[in-house]
Amino acid sequence: MELEQRPEIEALMAERRTFPPDPAFAAQANAQAGLYEEAERDFEGFWARLARERLAWDQDFHTTLEWNLPFAKWFVGGKLNIAYNCIDRHVENGLGDKVAYHWIGEPGDTRTITYRDLQREVSKAANALKELGIGTGDRVAIYMPMIPELPIAMLACARLGATHTVVFGGFSSEALAGRITDAGAKLVITADGGWRRGKPAELKPAVDHALRETPTVDNVLVVRRLGEHANIEMVPKRDHWWHEIVDRQSEDCPPVPVDSEHPLYLLYTSGTTAKPKGILHTTAGYLLGAGYTHEMVFDLKPDDVYWCAADIGWVTGHSYIVYGPLANAATGIMYEGTPDSPTWDRWWQIIEDYKVNILYCAPTAIRAFMKQGEQYPAAHDLTSLRVLGSVGEPINPEAWLWYHEHIGNSRTPIVDTWWQTETGMILITPLPGVTTTKPGSATFAFPGIAADVVDANGEAVPLGGGGYLVLKRPWPAMLRGIWGDPDRYRATYWGRFPGMYFAGDGAKRDADGYLWLLGRVDDVMNVSGHRLSTIEVESALVDNRAVAEAAVVGKNDPITGQSIFAFVILRGGQVGSEDLARVLRDHVARVIGPIAKPKYLMFVPDLPKTRSGKIMRRLLRDVAEGRPLGDVTTLADAGVVDVIRSNTGKTEE
Ligand code: PRX
C-alpha cells in the first residue's frame, strides 16, 4: 500500500470557485445544519430516534448498538421485514396508486409499476420461491438485466428472509459460478437476456455454463424478456419460466419478520486478492442508512421523480434504486439500456419525458456526455431537475462544472457522494441547501459519521494534509463482515489502523476542512466507476497458457477515470502480437467479464521487482503514465525498467 503524491491532485484542487446554497433551495431543504450537531452529541441516540421514526417494527429493539470491535450489531432485539417497509406499509398508508417505478426498456417499451402492483408481484414471486423450496436463511443468486423483475426478485427474497446475491449481468459465467458457490445459493433467478445497444444480449447461456460447476443450485427461474429474440435451452425439472410459475401464485404472502441483524444480501466486490469478497449487509441498520441518506442527500420530496442511472448489480443500485427509494415511497425511473442507444440524448429525452427531478450517476457518464457535446442536453427541457448526484469515483472539477452548467442549468446543487459497497450508504457528501460545495470535493462526513484522514501511523493529519481515509465509529449500514471469512474482514478493514475502519482510499483535507478523495491506495482499480482488483485481472491473464507472468496497474483515463494496463511476460516459445493480445483480452473477458479487459497490453521480457521478488507496481504506473520514474533504488535489476520503457510491444484496444 503506497500513498502516492499524485500530480493531478494539485490540479484537482486548483479550482477555487465555491457554490453556496441558493437561499430559496435552503428554505425548503430536508436537511438542516443542526443535524450535524445533534448527531455528534449522541450518535447512537440520533440513529435510535431515526430508527423508531422511520421504520415499521414488528418488535422494537432494546439496544441501539452492540459494538464488539470490529463486529457491530445495530437495533438488537428488533424484528421487522424489509419488503413490508418498502411496499406494504405505503399501500396501507394510501399510496397504493403511487408509481414505484417508471420502467423504460431500451427498445422503447415501458411499464408503470405502482406500489400496489409491487405488493402483488413481490408476493406472487415470493410464493413461487417458496414453491421452489426457498425459505428464511437460504441464499438466492440473481443474474438479470435491468428489468422490473430484478427488484421484484430481490424484494421477494427479502419478504421471506432469504438472502440474495445479485451478480451484475456483465460478469462472466465463471465469475457467476464463483459467487454462487461461495454464497451456497440454492436458486438462480435470471432472464433469457436483455436489450443492449439495439441488440438482444442473452444471459441464460452464461447461467447454464456456470451451473456445470455449482452443486448447490437446485432450480433456475427464468424471466422471458427477449422471447423469440433469444435462443435458449430450458433444462427439464431444473429450469422454470417465471411467467409459468409466478403468474399462477396467490397474491397473498405474509412478510416474515426477521431480526434486525438478519442477512439481507451479499454483494461481491473486488479487493486486493484474486477472490472477490462477499460483503454482507443485514436488515434494519442497512434499510435505515439507505433510506435516510436517500431522503437527505437528494432532498427527496413526495412528488419527485428520482433517477439513479446505475445498474442494480452494483451497490449503488441496491441502496439507491431499490432499498433507499422504496423505503421512502419514492417514484423512480429504471432504464434498461445504455446512454447512447439509439443516440446520445437518450437520458435527456427520458428526463424531459418523465420530468425527472433528481439524477444520480457516475462521473464516467458525465465525461462521456461532455465528449459528445452539449448539443445533446441542450435539445431537451431539463428544467425539472432540482438535484444532481455523482458517485463511484472522484469527479474532476471540469466534469463537475459541465454537469452544473449543462445539465443543472447552473442552478441545481450537486452532491458528490463518497461511499463503498462495504459502507452500504453514502458517508461523505454535501447536504443540498446546507453545504457550500467546491467542485471536486465530496465535502464533509454525513451527520453521525466520523471520517478522518490519518498518516501511516494512524495519527490525524492537520488541515491541509493528505493521508488515508478512515472511519472512527460504526454506522448503521456498515458491512457486517465478509461471507464465511471473519478473519479476512478483520484484517482487511480493521487491521491497518487499530480501532478504525480503513476504506482503502487516500484523501486530503483542505484548509477549510473539506475532504478531497484521491482514489485507491491499494491494488484496487476503478474503471468507469466499476471496482476491479489488479490481482484478479493478473490471475485471469496467467490462467492463459501463453502467459508466464502478468502485472496490472490502473492508468489515468480522461473518460473512464482509470483504464487497465497489463504488462505480460509470455512463456518460452510464445511471440507477442496484436492477435495474441486480442486472445488474452478475450480470455480476461471470459474469466471475469468484458469490463475487466485490459485497454493497454504490453508484452515485456521482464518486470521490475524488489530484491525480495515483489513487483513494483509504482514503477509500472510511472511507465503506464509516461512520467519520470520514482525511486528505483530498491529494484533488484534497475535496467529492467529501461527495457520496458523502450519496448514497442504495447497494444491498445
Ligand atoms: O475509491 C472509492 C470510489 O469507489 C470505491 C468504492 O467502490 P464500490 O464499492 O464499487 O462502490 C461504488 C459506489 C458507491 C471507493 O473506495 N468512490 C466512490 N465514490 C466516490 C469514490 N471516489 C471519489 N469520490 C466519490 N464520490
Side-chain angles (χ1 to χ4, degrees), residues 302-322:
D303 293 330
D304 276 345
V305 179
Y306 159 84
W307 185 14
C308 168
D311 191 289
I312 291 177
W314 306 105
V315 75
T316 306
H318 280 61
S319 296
Y320 297 108
I321 299 178
V322 183

PDB file of all heavy atoms in Angstrom, residues 302-322:
ATOM      1  N   PRO A 302     -42.136  14.273  -1.724  1.00  0.00           N
ATOM      2  CA  PRO A 302     -43.095  13.198  -2.049  1.00  0.00           C
ATOM      3  C   PRO A 302     -43.436  13.088  -3.539  1.00  0.00           C
ATOM      4  O   PRO A 302     -43.653  11.985  -4.032  1.00  0.00           O
ATOM      5  CB  PRO A 302     -44.334  13.575  -1.226  1.00  0.00           C
ATOM      6  CG  PRO A 302     -43.799  14.392  -0.093  1.00  0.00           C
ATOM      7  CD  PRO A 302     -42.594  15.120  -0.613  1.00  0.00           C
ATOM      8  N   ASP A 303     -43.487  14.193  -4.250  1.00  0.00           N
ATOM      9  CA  ASP A 303     -43.892  14.106  -5.659  1.00  0.00           C
ATOM     10  C   ASP A 303     -42.719  14.023  -6.629  1.00  0.00           C
ATOM     11  O   ASP A 303     -42.908  14.095  -7.845  1.00  0.00           O
ATOM     12  CB  ASP A 303     -44.771  15.312  -6.026  1.00  0.00           C
ATOM     13  CG  ASP A 303     -46.097  15.258  -5.296  1.00  0.00           C
ATOM     14  OD1 ASP A 303     -46.562  14.131  -5.010  1.00  0.00           O
ATOM     15  OD2 ASP A 303     -46.656  16.331  -4.979  1.00  0.00           O
ATOM     16  N   ASP A 304     -41.532  13.886  -6.115  1.00  0.00           N
ATOM     17  CA  ASP A 304     -40.362  13.862  -7.003  1.00  0.00           C
ATOM     18  C   ASP A 304     -40.315  12.618  -7.881  1.00  0.00           C
ATOM     19  O   ASP A 304     -40.763  11.539  -7.478  1.00  0.00           O
ATOM     20  CB  ASP A 304     -39.067  13.896  -6.172  1.00  0.00           C
ATOM     21  CG  ASP A 304     -38.673  15.310  -5.786  1.00  0.00           C
ATOM     22  OD1 ASP A 304     -39.211  16.257  -6.384  1.00  0.00           O
ATOM     23  OD2 ASP A 304     -37.826  15.457  -4.890  1.00  0.00           O
ATOM     24  N   VAL A 305     -39.738  12.805  -9.050  1.00  0.00           N
ATOM     25  CA  VAL A 305     -39.345  11.668  -9.883  1.00  0.00           C
ATOM     26  C   VAL A 305     -37.830  11.595  -9.792  1.00  0.00           C
ATOM     27  O   VAL A 305     -37.127  12.568 -10.088  1.00  0.00           O
ATOM     28  CB  VAL A 305     -39.790  11.838 -11.351  1.00  0.00           C
ATOM     29  CG1 VAL A 305     -39.334  10.649 -12.182  1.00  0.00           C
ATOM     30  CG2 VAL A 305     -41.302  12.011 -11.417  1.00  0.00           C
ATOM     31  N   TYR A 306     -37.375  10.461  -9.334  1.00  0.00           N
ATOM     32  CA  TYR A 306     -35.972  10.305  -8.977  1.00  0.00           C
ATOM     33  C   TYR A 306     -35.348   9.264  -9.896  1.00  0.00           C
ATOM     34  O   TYR A 306     -35.944   8.227 -10.168  1.00  0.00           O
ATOM     35  CB  TYR A 306     -35.923   9.846  -7.513  1.00  0.00           C
ATOM     36  CG  TYR A 306     -34.655   9.160  -7.103  1.00  0.00           C
ATOM     37  CD1 TYR A 306     -33.548   9.893  -6.708  1.00  0.00           C
ATOM     38  CD2 TYR A 306     -34.562   7.766  -7.104  1.00  0.00           C
ATOM     39  CE1 TYR A 306     -32.376   9.258  -6.333  1.00  0.00           C
ATOM     40  CE2 TYR A 306     -33.396   7.126  -6.722  1.00  0.00           C
ATOM     41  CZ  TYR A 306     -32.310   7.875  -6.339  1.00  0.00           C
ATOM     42  OH  TYR A 306     -31.156   7.243  -5.972  1.00  0.00           O
ATOM     43  N   TRP A 307     -34.137   9.537 -10.362  1.00  0.00           N
ATOM     44  CA  TRP A 307     -33.492   8.575 -11.253  1.00  0.00           C
ATOM     45  C   TRP A 307     -32.044   8.351 -10.863  1.00  0.00           C
ATOM     46  O   TRP A 307     -31.213   9.246 -11.005  1.00  0.00           O
ATOM     47  CB  TRP A 307     -33.555   9.071 -12.708  1.00  0.00           C
ATOM     48  CG  TRP A 307     -33.014   8.065 -13.692  1.00  0.00           C
ATOM     49  CD1 TRP A 307     -32.752   6.748 -13.456  1.00  0.00           C
ATOM     50  CD2 TRP A 307     -32.690   8.295 -15.063  1.00  0.00           C
ATOM     51  NE1 TRP A 307     -32.278   6.146 -14.594  1.00  0.00           N
ATOM     52  CE2 TRP A 307     -32.229   7.076 -15.591  1.00  0.00           C
ATOM     53  CE3 TRP A 307     -32.749   9.417 -15.878  1.00  0.00           C
ATOM     54  CZ2 TRP A 307     -31.813   6.948 -16.910  1.00  0.00           C
ATOM     55  CZ3 TRP A 307     -32.340   9.294 -17.196  1.00  0.00           C
ATOM     56  CH2 TRP A 307     -31.889   8.067 -17.712  1.00  0.00           C
ATOM     57  N   CYS A 308     -31.781   7.141 -10.402  1.00  0.00           N
ATOM     58  CA  CYS A 308     -30.406   6.696 -10.213  1.00  0.00           C
ATOM     59  C   CYS A 308     -30.083   5.833 -11.415  1.00  0.00           C
ATOM     60  O   CYS A 308     -30.693   4.781 -11.618  1.00  0.00           O
ATOM     61  CB  CYS A 308     -30.283   5.889  -8.924  1.00  0.00           C
ATOM     62  SG  CYS A 308     -28.711   5.024  -8.806  1.00  0.00           S
ATOM     63  N   ALA A 309     -29.131   6.295 -12.224  1.00  0.00           N
ATOM     64  CA  ALA A 309     -28.883   5.637 -13.509  1.00  0.00           C
ATOM     65  C   ALA A 309     -27.813   4.539 -13.419  1.00  0.00           C
ATOM     66  O   ALA A 309     -27.190   4.194 -14.406  1.00  0.00           O
ATOM     67  CB  ALA A 309     -28.497   6.680 -14.553  1.00  0.00           C
ATOM     68  N   ALA A 310     -27.620   3.993 -12.230  1.00  0.00           N
ATOM     69  CA  ALA A 310     -26.668   2.883 -12.067  1.00  0.00           C
ATOM     70  C   ALA A 310     -27.339   1.570 -12.464  1.00  0.00           C
ATOM     71  O   ALA A 310     -28.521   1.537 -12.782  1.00  0.00           O
ATOM     72  CB  ALA A 310     -26.214   2.804 -10.616  1.00  0.00           C
ATOM     73  N   ASP A 311     -26.587   0.499 -12.415  1.00  0.00           N
ATOM     74  CA  ASP A 311     -27.160  -0.827 -12.600  1.00  0.00           C
ATOM     75  C   ASP A 311     -27.387  -1.416 -11.203  1.00  0.00           C
ATOM     76  O   ASP A 311     -26.568  -1.226 -10.302  1.00  0.00           O
ATOM     77  CB  ASP A 311     -26.182  -1.718 -13.382  1.00  0.00           C
ATOM     78  CG  ASP A 311     -26.828  -3.027 -13.828  1.00  0.00           C
ATOM     79  OD1 ASP A 311     -27.099  -3.901 -12.967  1.00  0.00           O
ATOM     80  OD2 ASP A 311     -27.061  -3.176 -15.035  1.00  0.00           O
ATOM     81  N   ILE A 312     -28.487  -2.126 -11.044  1.00  0.00           N
ATOM     82  CA  ILE A 312     -28.807  -2.695  -9.733  1.00  0.00           C
ATOM     83  C   ILE A 312     -27.761  -3.731  -9.317  1.00  0.00           C
ATOM     84  O   ILE A 312     -27.610  -4.042  -8.136  1.00  0.00           O
ATOM     85  CB  ILE A 312     -30.249  -3.265  -9.740  1.00  0.00           C
ATOM     86  CG1 ILE A 312     -31.250  -2.110  -9.835  1.00  0.00           C
ATOM     87  CG2 ILE A 312     -30.528  -4.113  -8.506  1.00  0.00           C
ATOM     88  CD1 ILE A 312     -32.706  -2.530  -9.919  1.00  0.00           C
ATOM     89  N   GLY A 313     -26.997  -4.220 -10.270  1.00  0.00           N
ATOM     90  CA  GLY A 313     -25.941  -5.189  -9.965  1.00  0.00           C
ATOM     91  C   GLY A 313     -24.811  -4.628  -9.110  1.00  0.00           C
ATOM     92  O   GLY A 313     -23.974  -5.383  -8.631  1.00  0.00           O
ATOM     93  N   TRP A 314     -24.764  -3.320  -8.929  1.00  0.00           N
ATOM     94  CA  TRP A 314     -23.754  -2.703  -8.072  1.00  0.00           C
ATOM     95  C   TRP A 314     -24.436  -2.175  -6.821  1.00  0.00           C
ATOM     96  O   TRP A 314     -25.653  -2.014  -6.786  1.00  0.00           O
ATOM     97  CB  TRP A 314     -23.067  -1.545  -8.802  1.00  0.00           C
ATOM     98  CG  TRP A 314     -22.508  -1.938 -10.122  1.00  0.00           C
ATOM     99  CD1 TRP A 314     -23.032  -1.641 -11.339  1.00  0.00           C
ATOM    100  CD2 TRP A 314     -21.337  -2.729 -10.381  1.00  0.00           C
ATOM    101  NE1 TRP A 314     -22.257  -2.190 -12.335  1.00  0.00           N
ATOM    102  CE2 TRP A 314     -21.208  -2.855 -11.778  1.00  0.00           C
ATOM    103  CE3 TRP A 314     -20.380  -3.340  -9.564  1.00  0.00           C
ATOM    104  CZ2 TRP A 314     -20.167  -3.565 -12.371  1.00  0.00           C
ATOM    105  CZ3 TRP A 314     -19.346  -4.031 -10.157  1.00  0.00           C
ATOM    106  CH2 TRP A 314     -19.243  -4.145 -11.541  1.00  0.00           C
ATOM    107  N   VAL A 315     -23.636  -1.804  -5.821  1.00  0.00           N
ATOM    108  CA  VAL A 315     -24.242  -1.381  -4.565  1.00  0.00           C
ATOM    109  C   VAL A 315     -25.072  -0.110  -4.740  1.00  0.00           C
ATOM    110  O   VAL A 315     -26.085   0.088  -4.058  1.00  0.00           O
ATOM    111  CB  VAL A 315     -23.172  -1.198  -3.459  1.00  0.00           C
ATOM    112  CG1 VAL A 315     -22.366   0.073  -3.667  1.00  0.00           C
ATOM    113  CG2 VAL A 315     -23.803  -1.233  -2.081  1.00  0.00           C
ATOM    114  N   THR A 316     -24.675   0.748  -5.663  1.00  0.00           N
ATOM    115  CA  THR A 316     -25.440   1.981  -5.868  1.00  0.00           C
ATOM    116  C   THR A 316     -26.883   1.653  -6.204  1.00  0.00           C
ATOM    117  O   THR A 316     -27.813   2.300  -5.710  1.00  0.00           O
ATOM    118  CB  THR A 316     -24.802   2.828  -6.985  1.00  0.00           C
ATOM    119  OG1 THR A 316     -23.429   3.026  -6.659  1.00  0.00           O
ATOM    120  CG2 THR A 316     -25.485   4.165  -7.134  1.00  0.00           C
ATOM    121  N   GLY A 317     -27.069   0.631  -7.024  1.00  0.00           N
ATOM    122  CA  GLY A 317     -28.427   0.219  -7.380  1.00  0.00           C
ATOM    123  C   GLY A 317     -29.162  -0.412  -6.205  1.00  0.00           C
ATOM    124  O   GLY A 317     -30.356  -0.184  -6.013  1.00  0.00           O
ATOM    125  N   HIS A 318     -28.449  -1.209  -5.413  1.00  0.00           N
ATOM    126  CA  HIS A 318     -29.092  -1.828  -4.247  1.00  0.00           C
ATOM    127  C   HIS A 318     -29.638  -0.746  -3.304  1.00  0.00           C
ATOM    128  O   HIS A 318     -30.788  -0.776  -2.897  1.00  0.00           O
ATOM    129  CB  HIS A 318     -28.088  -2.683  -3.464  1.00  0.00           C
ATOM    130  CG  HIS A 318     -27.842  -4.045  -4.044  1.00  0.00           C
ATOM    131  ND1 HIS A 318     -27.325  -4.240  -5.294  1.00  0.00           N
ATOM    132  CD2 HIS A 318     -28.044  -5.282  -3.541  1.00  0.00           C
ATOM    133  CE1 HIS A 318     -27.210  -5.541  -5.519  1.00  0.00           C
ATOM    134  NE2 HIS A 318     -27.640  -6.194  -4.476  1.00  0.00           N
ATOM    135  N   SER A 319     -28.759   0.210  -2.950  1.00  0.00           N
ATOM    136  CA  SER A 319     -29.144   1.184  -1.924  1.00  0.00           C
ATOM    137  C   SER A 319     -29.991   2.319  -2.476  1.00  0.00           C
ATOM    138  O   SER A 319     -30.843   2.846  -1.777  1.00  0.00           O
ATOM    139  CB  SER A 319     -27.894   1.783  -1.264  1.00  0.00           C
ATOM    140  OG  SER A 319     -27.179   0.780  -0.591  1.00  0.00           O
ATOM    141  N   TYR A 320     -29.730   2.706  -3.758  1.00  0.00           N
ATOM    142  CA  TYR A 320     -30.385   3.929  -4.244  1.00  0.00           C
ATOM    143  C   TYR A 320     -31.247   3.742  -5.487  1.00  0.00           C
ATOM    144  O   TYR A 320     -31.689   4.722  -6.069  1.00  0.00           O
ATOM    145  CB  TYR A 320     -29.326   5.038  -4.408  1.00  0.00           C
ATOM    146  CG  TYR A 320     -28.702   5.376  -3.063  1.00  0.00           C
ATOM    147  CD1 TYR A 320     -27.402   4.998  -2.756  1.00  0.00           C
ATOM    148  CD2 TYR A 320     -29.454   6.007  -2.070  1.00  0.00           C
ATOM    149  CE1 TYR A 320     -26.853   5.270  -1.503  1.00  0.00           C
ATOM    150  CE2 TYR A 320     -28.921   6.274  -0.819  1.00  0.00           C
ATOM    151  CZ  TYR A 320     -27.621   5.908  -0.539  1.00  0.00           C
ATOM    152  OH  TYR A 320     -27.097   6.165   0.694  1.00  0.00           O
ATOM    153  N   ILE A 321     -31.486   2.475  -5.894  1.00  0.00           N
ATOM    154  CA  ILE A 321     -32.590   2.232  -6.835  1.00  0.00           C
ATOM    155  C   ILE A 321     -33.652   1.413  -6.119  1.00  0.00           C
ATOM    156  O   ILE A 321     -34.834   1.609  -6.305  1.00  0.00           O
ATOM    157  CB  ILE A 321     -32.131   1.483  -8.112  1.00  0.00           C
ATOM    158  CG1 ILE A 321     -31.098   2.295  -8.887  1.00  0.00           C
ATOM    159  CG2 ILE A 321     -33.337   1.156  -9.018  1.00  0.00           C
ATOM    160  CD1 ILE A 321     -30.563   1.598 -10.135  1.00  0.00           C
ATOM    161  N   VAL A 322     -33.201   0.509  -5.254  1.00  0.00           N
ATOM    162  CA  VAL A 322     -34.163  -0.394  -4.629  1.00  0.00           C
ATOM    163  C   VAL A 322     -34.476   0.027  -3.185  1.00  0.00           C
ATOM    164  O   VAL A 322     -35.515   0.631  -2.926  1.00  0.00           O
ATOM    165  CB  VAL A 322     -33.674  -1.862  -4.701  1.00  0.00           C
ATOM    166  CG1 VAL A 322     -34.731  -2.807  -4.118  1.00  0.00           C
ATOM    167  CG2 VAL A 322     -33.388  -2.255  -6.155  1.00  0.00           C
TER     168      VAL A 322
END
